[in-house]
Structures are given as structure tokens and as C-alpha cells.
């Protein structure tokens, strides 16, 4: 692979979209000199004949004399019959091309192109001009897209195989122009925050063009913005040394200035700044506030108080510009959100740079994580996905940096506590935050606290009247007062009651008042914390048909952010069609929300109310547990089917707990994976909800069947927490079989994250518990995991023993897929012990076995293992073929971490084959994507990247990579630390 950009297959210029134009001629010079007629390639003749065609095409329709063309083709030493040869070439070209395309004029020749875009160079120039125009108008996204399209027209070396001095000069000119376009596109990539992706491409480009200082400058900036300051400085040191050695000059002033700014950690470098040529860059101004209610009523004193606090942030107040924080507290349904959104809308003019809003879901069991919210906020403020850091601290720091100098209002609704809120505060003057919560945030430093109580009777009646209508209330004022009194003057309760009345024209206010007067329809203590709004929900629940009410109660039992239609059908034990009718009718009553087509969710307070109804009304009481058991069966049966589809021949599914209810079946693997990753959060919530019940065994088996959620990195944190809870529950019960399986799942996720010591302890216990319970399936997988752990710890002989034990267990259980998978790991053990030939043979045998069972994701592990063995055998081309096969499968199955790990192995192979530039490029891709093995594997990638850079002469950047790798190894107590110290020793000595 060269250092140029990866581009799609070239579509020749002038390809007609209209069939009527199918015979149009088109030409290409940005690669081999070619011609097409209506998409069919034409034979353009000998190299000299193509040289003539190229010389005429590049003159933009102008006539070239015979003398000029002879000079272009042969230079200062033309053959004696040059003129005759020239005429022969021209005659042959006329026969190939359409009449009137190649014309004779004034003793020379010219090519008249049939239309716009008929020459790829013209198309590229047009795209580049449009890109420049788009960039100058501030439309960077369009400019980048246009430049990508222009660069995609290059198809290898310009004028490839064409002889003559003219072709050589044009080849150099057009290559220089391509590099300029590429630099411009990369510059815009960095402008839009795509620095992480740019590092890999820039690393390859600087290796291919080591003296091109602009590329070095862009690489320094990309590394710095990726949090790799030491490497950025190392790039400068390498550049300075190279320029001094090769040219005897210093870096240009711009590069020197960038180095000084990196040394100072100039905050401006972390910000995207528009190029000087831009004149009207559009700043992203989020406007995320929900709509304010048109019938907002009362709260005048609170509105004035909050507006005064917000004015202090805009600079209009007596205190000047500060960062203002107001925290509204009160019981659920008291109107905190309504007031905050109303005030935020009134204050919009004071915050011209935008308004951010988020529901932190603090009242629920699963409050929003601050890092997730920060990621959403950063993207709303214009930060590219690739530029959003991973850790909470880094995201919070970048968030404050992005807000610096802006005037933005942040509304943090439904917060759990001050700890959840603190990372989300802007922290800079000119910005403000409005926070709502059910608790008083006395520990939120500097916050203006507002305690929001229920409405006064006058305000409550005014709200009721505005929703229902003056005409209906005027004649029944006393009844209306009875209604708002029965609602406890709670705004949410009043709004729900009034809205139902407004929707029923045949009801009178007295009818509604009579319904509310029935204490059996209300809770006695309307001000009892989160349950204070139950009385208003009673109105809706009491109107439901029996089937609707049952659905409402049972669906509220399930944890998880939402529920799919198929899962809801399992809970209710009904056909999908009947279930959909019920759920849609609940949506109409506002007791259920439609999160997306086919998906439903409860508001957190409504879910609590539904559960209270289930405890009170569901008969027999055992039906509550039966509903959750059906949901668990649905998830387990579906996940087991997907596991079997992904792993033909793997007998694990034969050893899972039986289910009474069927799951979904999928015709295609992609559809199955769509389901698994979409349902991941709800599936894991079902497991967590089941671990302390008699459903524990099935819950743990569901974890095992859904192990792809851990390996892909998609739900690793939730998976680990759930597995940990399952381990403790099984241990407390003394259920060795279940504990062994639970610890095997926990071992797997710990291995994925690279926590080897913890994984070792869990795998040891898993193996012991499996042996005690005579659970051959769990014991075999635990032995395989212990072998992997031994490889990480460089105990290769021990690893081989464990792998052999696992293979015997799989063989005894008839699990041929398990045998094959473990054989790949056994191949790695032999490889580490120097038995390269045996390693290759074992990997090939495992691949053959899996191919016999059916093409699956695990086949990728075989290609991966064989690629490693072939690399050690020095068969680099074969190894790359295996790795590319593995990469295709991993990408197709969305195994992102395995994708990154395969890029690392490809980089190893390139380095072994002495292709350092390609090795560096793939190592950068591995860093960008992530790898199996967590921070420890990141250390391996950095070590390899350093070796590649050192080979390329970039020793300072190499040293920066090794220092970062050493830090990661030391933090993880990894034996690889000694290897890196050895690499650093000669560098330090030098």
C-alpha cells in the first residue's frame, strides 16, 4: 500500500447518465492514458502513440505544431523519421476516435473534446475550483466532499508508461497538484475535528514524502489534538534532523512556530480555526430547548428570580459577566421542567451562541452517565465524533474549552445529584446552567437554589381553565376548584386531568370532580415523594379496558430503557398483532411513549405507578414473576439462536437452560446482529433483574449466549457489571454450576479489556466451580481462557497445557467448533515456543474444520491465527492474505475491537517485511479503532508504531510512543515493560 489516499474505483470522466449519450467519448490522463466510447475502453496504441494523445489532451484544445509535438515525444534527440512517425500516430488515432475530434490545423494537430467533463483532468480541476469556492463560503463539509471526489479521479501514476520529456514534466506537475489538493483536504479534516482519523493517513504520507514540511505540520497538529503532545514534538525533532542532514536547512517558520505553540500547550491549538481564505464560517449554534407550553401559567415570582440570575451571566446584571447556575428542586410533577424550559426560552436572546438541553433521567434506576451526555453536547457544538475523547475528565475539559468565549445556556433536567451535574457545567463566564432535580443540591457550589412548591389555588385554577376553556369552567367554578384541590395543586396532575376533560366534550367539570372525589381512585398522600403523581395516573389507568390495564401493569415490571414489540408480546404472552394494538392504545392515552417504530418506553414516574398497580391489582401475584420469566425466555431463546447462527457446530446451545417460550428466528446474520446490538441494553437489564430470583440460571446462560456484546465493545461496561452481579448471586446461593458459568462470562469481558490479573482469578474459580458441578461446557471454556491468560503472562508451556485440556473437553462434549477455536489459541502457544511449522499446521487444521462446519465469524479467528504463524514463518504475502480475510469478517460482524487488533497484526507483518510506512499506517488505524486487550494492547500497538517510526528515521516520535507504552505497561504490571525499556536504552544513550 502506498502513502496516498485510499480512493474508490475510478469512474472514467464523461460517463453518461442518459442512455442517449452512450456513444460519447471520454479520456483519462490521471493514470494510464485511456479513452472510452460510451463506457467501452478503446485501444490507444503504442506508448509513443499514447504520448501524442496525452500531449494533445493536455493542451486544452489548443493546436500544437509538429515541431512542438516531436520535442514533446522525443526531446532533443528525435529519430530521423520523427515527422513521418508523428503523422502515422495521428492517422491511427483518427481511426480510433470520432470524426472531428483529432483535427489538423496549420501544420499541427489539436484534440477537440466532445463536451464538458470528457477529460478526467478537467473534471478534477472543476471539482477543485468548486471546493475552493465552498471553502471560502464556509461550507467545509461540501468542500471536503468535492476534494475527495477530485482526488478519487487519480488512478495510479499520472501518464503511466508514457515516454518523453513532456510527459515527465506533466507527471511531476500533476503529482505536485495532487499533493496540494490532498494537503488542503487534510487541513479541512483537521478543521472539522477529524484529527484521529487523519493521523494514520498523515503518518503514511510523511513516510512517502519525508521532505514535505506541510504534511509534517499537519501531522503535528493532528497528533496534538489527539492528546499525543510528545509525539507531536517528536515529529518536529525528526523533521529538523532530516532537513539538516538532507538539505542543510532549518524547518520553515510556520513549522517552528507550531512547535513553540505545542511546547506551550497553546489552548488555541485545540480549537478548530477557519483558514484565512474563509469569510463566513458558520458556527454551530445548538437550539435544543423543548417547546415551551403555550398555556404556561403563574410562577411569576420564580420567573423574575431566575431571569435575574441568568442576566448575571449575560453581563446585564450588577455583578458583571459570571457563570450562573440555578438549581430548581421539588417533588415529581411540581413543574420544574416546565418552569426551566419557559425561563430558558425567555432568556434565549441573552445566549446567542445556543442552548443545550438534556433529560438526565435522575428519577429512574439508570440515570444518564455524564460522559454520555458530554459526548452528545460536544457533537451538538460541532465536535466531530472522532474528536470526542473517551474518558469523563477529557470530555469535560474539551466541553469547557469549546464553550470558552461563547454564551450558551445549558438546561440539565431531572438530575440525580450534584455529582452527576458537576462535569456538565460550562465553567466559563458568559454561560449559564439551569438544573432541575428532586433533591436540593446544597453541595453544588455557587448554585442559586430554588425550592419549587405546588401551585397556589389561584394559579392551579388558572392553569386548569386555560387547558379546558373559560366557557366550560365559568359555569362550574366550584367543581373546578374541587378538581384542582383533589390534584393537590400539583401542576402535572392538573394538566393530565384537564387534558382528559378537554378531550371529552361530553364530560362536565362536575363529572371529573366526582371521579376525583372517590378516594379509592386517589392515593391519600399526594406529597409522598416520587409517588406524589400517582393520583393523576389513576385517572388514565381507571379508564383502561381489562386487557389494556393488564398490559400496562406487566410491561411496567420490565427494567431497561425501552422494550421492543416482540419482547412486549412475550411479556404479555400474546400474538404480536394483538400486542401492537394494545400498546398503541396505551400510547393514545399518554401512559406509554413510542420511542421509535416498534419500540416503546415508560416515563420513569409512570413506570413506578405501573409497578404499584401490578403489586396491587395483578392476580394471581405469581403472574408478575411469570411475565418476567417469559421475557427472559424470549431473550435467551433469541440470543441462543443467534449464537448458533454465528457459530455452527458449537454445542454450547445444547447445554443452556431450556426455555418454555420461543424467541425470534432470523434468515440473515446481519439482521440477527442488528437485533442483538439494538436489544443489548434491555437484554442486560433483564439479566440484572433476574439474578436475585429463581431465574438466575437462565439469566447467566443469557449472558453467555450474548457474549458478542462484550467482545464487540458495544456494551462492555454494562456486561461486566451484570456478570459481576450474577457471580455474587450464584456464590451466595452455593450454585457451583451457575457460578462457574457466570465467572466464565466475567473472565471473557476482563480479557477483552486487558485486565489479566483479575481475569486469571475469575478463570481459576470458574474452572474449579465447573469441575465441582461436572459442567464440561463451562470447564472447557474456562480452560481455554486460562490458556489465553498464560499467553499474556508469557507462560507458554502452561498455556499449551490448558489449551490441550480444553480441546479434550470439547472433544468429549462433541463441540467441534470449540475444538477449532481453541486450536487457534494452541497454534499461538506453539508459535510463542518457536514451533512455527506446527503452529501453521494446527491453524490450518482448525480452519479446515470450521470451513467444514460453515462460514462464521469464528473463521476470522482462524485466519487471524494462521496469519500470525505465517508472519513468523517469513511468508508475509500469505500472512497478509489471511489477515485481510479476517478483517473482512470482523468488519462484517461489527467486531470493532477485533478489527483494530487485526490492523495491529497487519502492521506487524508489514514491519517484518521491511515496509515501515505501511506498518505505521496500520498501527495508527489500530489506535484509532481500539483493540482486544484494552490499555495493555494499546501499549503493544504503540511499541510497534515506535519501531516503524524509528525505521523511518523519526526517532523522537518513536521514543514518545515507547514512553507512552511503558507507562501503560507499568500501570498494568505487564512483562512487556522490559522490552520497551530495552528499546529506550539505545535511544537515551544516543
Amino acid at each position: 500500500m502506498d502513502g496516498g489516499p485510499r480512493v474508490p474505483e475510478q469512474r472514467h470522466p464523461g460517463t453518461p447518465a442518459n442512455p442517449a449519450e452512450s456513444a460519447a467519448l471520454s479520456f483519462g490522463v490521471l493514470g494510464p492514458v485511456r479513452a472510452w466510447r460510451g463506457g467501452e475502453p478503446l485501444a490507444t496504441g503504442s506508448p509513443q502513440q499514447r504520448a501524442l494523445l496525452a500531449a494533445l489532451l493536455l493542451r486544452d484544445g489548443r493546436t500544437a505544431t509538429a515541431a512542438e509535438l516531436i520535442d514533446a515525444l522525443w526531446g532533443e534527440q528525435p529519430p530521423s523519421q520523427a515527422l513521418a512517425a508523428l503523422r502515422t500516430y495521428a492517422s491511427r488515432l483518427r481511426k480510433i476516435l470520432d470524426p472531428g475530434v483529432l483535427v489538423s490545423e496549420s501544420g499541427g494537430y489539436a484534440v477537440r473534446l466532445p463536451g464538458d467533463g470528457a477529460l478526467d483532468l478537467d473534471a478534477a480541476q472543476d471539482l477543485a475550483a468548486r471546493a475552493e469556492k465552498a471553502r471560502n463560503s464556509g461550507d467545509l463539509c461540501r468542500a471536503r466532499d468535492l476534494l475527495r471526489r477530485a482526488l478519487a479521479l487519480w488512478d495510479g501514476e499520472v501518464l503511466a508508461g508514457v515516454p518523453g520529456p513532456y510527459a515527465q514534466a506533466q507527471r511531476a506537475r500533476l503529482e505536485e497538484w495532487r499533493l496540494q489538493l490532498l494537503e488542503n483536504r487534510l487541513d479541512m479534516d483537521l478543521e472539522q475535528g477529524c484529527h484521529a482519523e487523519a493521523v494514520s493517513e498523515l503518518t503514511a504520507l510523511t513516510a512517502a514524502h519525508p521532505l514535505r514540511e506541510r504534511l509534517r505540520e499537519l501531522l503535528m497538529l493532528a497528533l496534538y489534538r489527539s492528546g499525543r503532545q510528545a509525539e507531536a514534538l517528536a515529529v518536529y525533532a525528526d523533521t529538523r534532523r532530516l532537513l539538516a542532514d538532507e538539505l542543510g536547512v532549518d524547518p520553515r517558520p510556520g513549522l517552528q512556530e507550531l512547535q513553540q505553540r505545542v511546547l506551550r500547550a497553546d489552548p488555541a491549538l485545540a480549537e478548530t480555526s477557519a483558514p484565512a481564505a474563509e469569510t463566513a464560517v458558520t458556527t454551530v449554534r445548538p437550539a435544543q430547548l423543548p417547546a415551551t407550553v403555550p398555556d404556561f401559567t403563574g410562577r411569576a415570582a420564580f420567573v423574575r428570580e431566575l431571569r435575574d440570575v441568568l442576566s448575571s451571566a449575560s453581563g446585564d446584571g450588577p455583578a458583571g459577566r459570571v457563570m450562573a447556575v440555578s438549581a430548581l428542586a421539588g417533588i415529581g410533577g411540581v413543574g420544574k421542567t416546565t418552569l426551566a424550559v419557559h425561563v430558558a426560552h425567555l432568556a434565549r436572546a441573552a445566549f446567542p451562541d445556543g442552548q443545550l438541553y438534556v433529560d438526565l433521567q435522575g428519577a429512574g434506576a439508570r440515570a444518564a452517565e455524564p460522559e454520555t451526555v458530554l459526548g452528545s453536547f460536544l457533537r451538538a457544538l460541532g465536535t466531530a465524533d472522532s474528536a470526542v475523547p473517551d474518558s469523563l475528565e477529557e470530555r469535560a475539559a474539551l466541553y469547557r474549552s469549546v464553550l470558552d468565549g461563547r454564551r450558551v445556556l445549558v438546561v440539565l433536567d431531572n438530575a440525580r445529584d450534584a455529582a452527576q451535574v458537576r462535569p456538565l457545567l460550562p465553567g466559563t463566564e458568559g454561560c449559564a446552567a439551569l438544573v432541575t432535580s428532586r433533591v436540593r443540591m446544597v453541595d453544588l457550589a455557587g448554585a442559586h437554589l430554588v425550592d419549587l412548591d405546588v401551585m397556589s389555588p389561584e394559579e392551579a385554577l388558572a392553569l386548569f381553565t386555560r387547558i379546558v376553556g373559560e366557557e366550560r369552567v365559568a359555569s362550574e367554578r366550584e367543581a373546578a376548584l374541587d378538581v384542582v384541590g383533589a390534584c393537590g395543586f400539583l401542576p402535572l396532575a392538573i394538566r393530565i386531568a384537564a387534558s382528559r376533560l378537554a378531550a371529552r366534550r361530553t364530560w362536565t367539570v362536575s363529572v371529573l370532580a366526582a371521579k376525583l372525589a372517590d378516594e379509592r381512585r386517589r392515593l391519600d398522600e399526594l406529597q409522598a415523594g416520587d409517588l406524589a403523581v400517582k393520583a393523576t395516573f389513576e385517572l388514565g389507568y381507571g379508564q383502561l379496558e381489562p386487557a389494556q390495564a393488564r398490559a400496562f401493569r406487566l410491561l411496567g415490571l420490565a427494567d431497561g430503557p425501552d422494550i421492543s414489540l416482540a419482547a412486549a408480546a412475550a411479556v404479555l404472552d400474546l400474538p404480536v398483532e394483538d400486542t401492537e394494538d394494545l400498546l398503541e392504545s396505551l400510547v393514545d392515552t399518554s401512559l406509554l411513549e413510542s420511542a421509535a417504530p416498534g419500540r416503546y418506553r415508560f416515563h420513569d414516574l409512570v413506570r413506578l405507578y405501573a409497578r404499584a398497580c401490578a403489586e396491587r391489582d395483578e392476580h394471581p401475584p405469581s403472574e408478575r414473576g411469570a411475565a418476567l420469566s417469559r421475557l427472559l425466555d424470549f431473550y435467551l431463546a433469541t440470543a441462543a439462536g443467534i449464537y448458533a447462527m454465528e457459530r455452527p457446530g458449537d454445542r454450547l446451545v445444547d447445554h443452556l437452560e431450556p426455555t418454555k417460550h420461543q424467541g425470534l428466528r432470523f434468515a440473515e446474520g446481519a439482521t440477527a446482529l442488528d437485533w442483538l446490538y439494538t436489544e443489548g441494553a434491555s437484554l442486560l437489564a433483564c439479566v440484572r433483574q433476574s439474578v436475585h430470583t429463581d431465574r438466575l440460571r437462565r439469566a447467566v446462560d443469557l449472558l453467555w449466549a450474548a457474549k458478542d456484546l462484550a467482545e464487540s465493545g458495544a456494551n462492555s461496561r454494562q456486561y461486566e457489571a451484570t456478570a459481576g452481579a450474577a457471580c455474587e448471586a450464584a456464590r451466595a446461593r452455593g450454585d457451583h454450576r451457575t457460578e462457574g458459568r457466570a465467572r466464565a462470562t466475567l473472565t471473557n469481558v476482563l480479557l477483552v479489556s486487558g485486565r489479566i490479573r483479575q481475569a486469571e482469578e475469575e478463570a481459576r474459580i470458574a474452572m474449579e466451580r465447573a469441575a465441582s458441578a461436572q459442567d464440561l461446557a463451562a470447564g472447557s471454556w474456562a480452560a481455554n481462557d486460562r490458556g489465553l491468560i498464560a499467553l499474556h503472562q508469557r507462560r507458554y508451556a502452561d498455556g499449551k497445557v490448558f489449551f490441550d485440556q480444553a480441546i479434550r473437553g470439547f472433544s468429549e462434549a462433541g463441540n467441534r467448533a470449540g475444538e477449532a477455536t481453541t486450536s487457534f489459541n494452541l497454534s499461538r502457544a506453539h508459535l510463542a515456543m518457536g514451533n512455527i511449522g506446527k503452529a501453521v499446521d494446527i491453524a490450518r487444521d482448525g480452519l479446515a474444520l470450521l470451513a467444514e462446519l460453515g462460514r462464521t465469524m469464528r473463521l476470522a479467528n482462524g485466519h487471524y491465527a494462521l496469519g500470525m504463524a505465517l508472519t513468523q514463518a517469513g511468508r508475509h504475502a500469505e500472512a497478509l492474505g489471511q489477515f485481510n480475510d479476517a478483517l473482512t469478517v470482523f468488519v462484517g460482524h461489527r467486531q470493532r475491537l477485533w478489527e483494530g487488533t487485526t490492523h495491529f497484526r497487519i502492521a506487524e507483518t508489514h514491519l517484518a517485511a521491511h515496509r515501515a510506512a505501511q506498518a505505521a499506517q496500520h498501527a495508527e488505524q489500530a489506535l484509532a479503532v481500539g483493540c482486544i486487550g484494552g490499555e495493555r494492547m494499546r501499549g503493544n500497538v504503540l511499541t510497534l508504531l515506535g519501531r516503524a517510526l524509528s525505521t523511518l528515521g523519526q526517532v523522537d516520535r518513536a521514543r514518545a510512543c515507547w514512553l507512552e507504552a511503558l507507562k501503560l505497561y507499568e500501570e498494568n504490571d505487564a512483562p512487556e515493560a522490559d522490552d520497551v525499556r530495552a528499546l529506550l536504552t539505545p535511544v537515551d544513550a544516543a
Side-chain angles (χ1 to χ4, degrees), residues 365 394 439 454 510 556 706 762 902:
E394 288 176 314
V439 298
V454 296
S510 296
E762 295 299 332
T902 306

Side-chain angles (χ1 to χ4, degrees), residues 897-914:
L897 298 181
W898 273 112
E899 176 188 346
T901 308
T902 306
H903 275 297
F904 166 65
R905 297 302 181 188
I906 291 174
E908 277 190 328
T909 305
H910 277 302
L911 191 60
H914 308 294

Side-chain angles (χ1 to χ4, degrees), residues 908 911-912 916 942-952 958 962 983:
E908 277 190 328
L911 191 60
L942 285 165
T943 302
L944 176 70
L945 177 58
R947 290 170 56 206
L949 294 171
S950 179
T951 302
L952 293 169
W962 291 333
L983 288 171

Side-chain angles (χ1 to χ4, degrees), residues 735-819:
D735 185 344
H736 283 190
R737 174 189 175 279
T738 304
E739 184 183 356
R741 295 187 173 197
R743 293 193 184 277
T745 64
L746 184 55
T747 301
N748 184 54
V749 74
L750 290 170
L751 280 171
V752 168
S753 62
R755 284 171 286 171
I756 304 304
R757 281 192 170 182
Q758 292 171 260
E760 181 181 21
E761 178 63 14
E762 295 299 332
R764 181 188 63 78
I765 299 175
M767 203 165 171
E768 290 176 358
R769 298 296 184 267
S772 173
Q774 297 183 341
D775 186 355
L776 194 58
S780 300
W781 283 113
N784 175 73
D785 289 341
R786 292 192 74 179
L788 287 172
I789 292 164
L791 291 189
H792 281 289
Q793 296 173 335
R794 300 186 175 182
R795 297 184 292 110
Y796 306 125
D798 290 344
K800 177 182 177 302
V801 170
F802 284 123
F803 292 139
D804 286 337
Q805 182 178 349
I807 290 173
R808 287 194 299 272
F810 286 130
S811 177
E812 183 179 342
N815 191 339
R816 300 179 71 201
E819 288 184 65

Side-chain angles (χ1 to χ4, degrees), residues 431-785:
C431 293
L434 272 174
V435 184
T436 73
S437 178
R438 294 179 184 175
V439 298
R440 294 187 81 243
M441 294 197 173
V442 293
D443 52 344
L444 191 61
H448 175 76
L449 303 181
V450 176
D451 292 323
L452 196 60
D453 203 349
V454 296
M455 285 182 152
S456 68
E458 294 78 12
E459 289 177 330
L461 183 60
L463 175 59
F464 183 82
T465 302
R466 292 192 66 174
I467 298 173
V468 174
E470 178 68 30
E471 182 179 341
R472 296 179 72 182
V473 174
S475 60
E476 295 186 278
R477 181 178 173 81
E478 290 302 319
L481 286 172
D482 289 341
V483 169
V484 298
C487 289
F489 310 112
L490 199 66
L492 180 58
I494 296 166
R495 182 172 297 280
I496 293 175
S499 297
R500 289 188 58 79
L501 181 60
R504 289 160 174 76
R505 304 304 300 176
T506 59
W507 283 15
T508 63
V509 180
S510 296
V511 169
L512 179 60
K515 290 179 176 293
L516 290 174
D518 184 357
E519 293 186 355
R520 293 172 301 173
R521 315 276 307 174
R522 292 190 283 121
L523 296 179
D524 294 330
E525 300 181 17
L526 290 174
Q527 300 181 27
D530 287 345
L531 303 181
V533 295
K534 276 190 175 182
T536 48
F537 298 136
E538 283 282 4
L539 287 170
Y541 178 70
Q543 299 298 317
L544 298 179
E545 296 294 332
Q548 292 175 312
R550 174 179 178 270
F552 177 72
R553 294 191 300 268
L554 295 183
L555 291 176
L557 296 172
D559 283 345
D562 59 7
I563 190 167
S564 68
L565 178 59
V571 171
L572 302 179
D573 199 18
L574 291 173
V576 170
E577 295 79 7
D578 295 345
T579 301
E580 184 173 21
D581 290 341
L582 283 173
L583 268 56
E584 288 297 325
S585 69
L586 289 175
V587 171
D588 291 338
T589 66
S590 299
L591 291 173
L592 193 66
E593 298 176 14
S594 179
R599 301 198 72 82
Y600 300 87
R601 68 186 176 204
F602 283 101
H603 183 279
D604 52 359
L605 297 178
V606 180
R607 187 200 298 273
L608 291 175
Y609 173 72
R611 290 181 175 179
C613 290
E615 292 177 4
R616 181 187 65 193
D617 301 336
E618 198 60 45
H619 300 293
S622 60
E623 176 60 9
R624 300 198 298 271
L628 292 175
S629 180
R630 291 192 293 270
L631 178 63
L632 180 60
D633 270 5
F634 166 76
Y635 281 137
L636 177 55
T638 306
I642 295 172
Y643 186 98
M645 176 184 286
E646 290 283 289
R647 301 165 175 83
D650 192 325
R651 299 289 300 279
L652 171 67
V653 293
D654 298 335
H655 301 282
L656 301 178
E657 285 289 298
T659 58
K660 297 179 181 178
H661 298 270
Q662 293 185 346
L664 299 177
R665 291 293 179 264
F666 303 97
E668 297 180 352
T671 308
L673 290 175
D674 282 340
W675 181 89
L676 182 63
Y677 292 121
T678 300
E679 292 287 344
S682 297
L683 181 152
L684 292 173
C686 180
V687 174
R688 286 192 298 271
Q689 195 172 11
S690 303
V691 295
H692 297 295
T693 70
D694 60 2
R695 305 186 296 275
L696 172 62
R697 281 199 166 194
R698 277 180 291 153
V700 169
D701 281 356
L702 174 54
L703 264 185
W704 205 346
K707 65 190 298 185
D708 282 348
L709 294 175
E711 289 192 14
S712 69
N715 300 83
S716 296
R717 287 188 179 182
Q718 300 95 316
Y719 190 100
E720 180 182 344
T722 305
C727 288
E728 286 305 309
R731 183 192 60 78
R733 289 192 182 188
D735 185 344
H736 283 190
R737 174 189 175 279
T738 304
E739 184 183 356
R741 295 187 173 197
R743 293 193 184 277
T745 64
L746 184 55
T747 301
N748 184 54
V749 74
L750 290 170
L751 280 171
V752 168
S753 62
R755 284 171 286 171
I756 304 304
R757 281 192 170 182
Q758 292 171 260
E760 181 181 21
E761 178 63 14
E762 295 299 332
R764 181 188 63 78
I765 299 175
M767 203 165 171
E768 290 176 358
R769 298 296 184 267
S772 173
Q774 297 183 341
D775 186 355
L776 194 58
S780 300
W781 283 113
N784 175 73
D785 289 341

Side-chain angles (χ1 to χ4, degrees), residues 220-221 224 228-230 232-233 257-266 269:
M220 286 179 65
L221 187 57
Y224 181 79
R228 298 159 71 176
Q229 181 183 20
L233 292 169
E257 180 185 356
L258 179 60
Q259 184 241 7
Q260 291 301 312
R261 294 178 69 189
V262 171
L263 280 171
R264 297 195 306 269
D266 185 348
L269 281 182

Side-chain angles (χ1 to χ4, degrees), residues 337-376:
T337 298
T338 301
L339 175 60
V341 170
H342 181 74
V343 171
H345 275 282
L346 293 176
R348 284 185 65 180
F351 300 94
D353 294 321
Q355 305 85 40
L356 296 168
Y357 172 88
V358 65
D359 179 1
L360 294 173
Q361 304 175 32
R366 309 292 295 179
E369 295 294 337
E371 54 261 52
T372 303
V373 175
L374 285 170
S376 176

